[in-house]
Amino acid sequence: MAANTILALLDQAFPGGEVSVEDRTGGGDHFQVTVTSERFNGLSLIEQHKLVNATLAAPLADGTIHELRIRTKGTA
């Protein structure tokens, strides 16, 4: 899965936020995602990560994404 596909999914789920995706190994299955969004305001870190995981549920379930590192932050 290309990083730009993951980026598109996250951009759609978190409009107006800041999203970055890094292919950590170059193999297309280990990713680091960073998402800053007002949707995270007032949510715990676990709740924030659950939103990201839900957004990427299909590629996580079918094994397209083998490893996913998540960083999230609300807006001030």
Side-chain angles (χ1 to χ4, degrees), residues 28-41:
D29 63 350
H30 290 71
F31 295 96
Q32 165 87 37
V33 299
T34 304
V35 183
T36 302
S37 173
E38 65 181 24
R39 285 187 63 193
F40 298 144
N41 292 348

Side-chain angles (χ1 to χ4, degrees), residues 42-73:
L43 298 179
S44 70
L45 188 60
I46 291 173
E47 292 170 321
Q48 294 173 27
H49 286 209
K50 284 182 179 182
L51 287 175
V52 173
N53 278 312
T55 300
L56 301 175
L60 284 165
D62 69 14
T64 302
I65 297 174
H66 178 71
E67 181 203 21
L68 181 65
R69 294 184 183 183
I70 302 170
R71 291 184 181 158
T72 57
K73 186 169 108 178

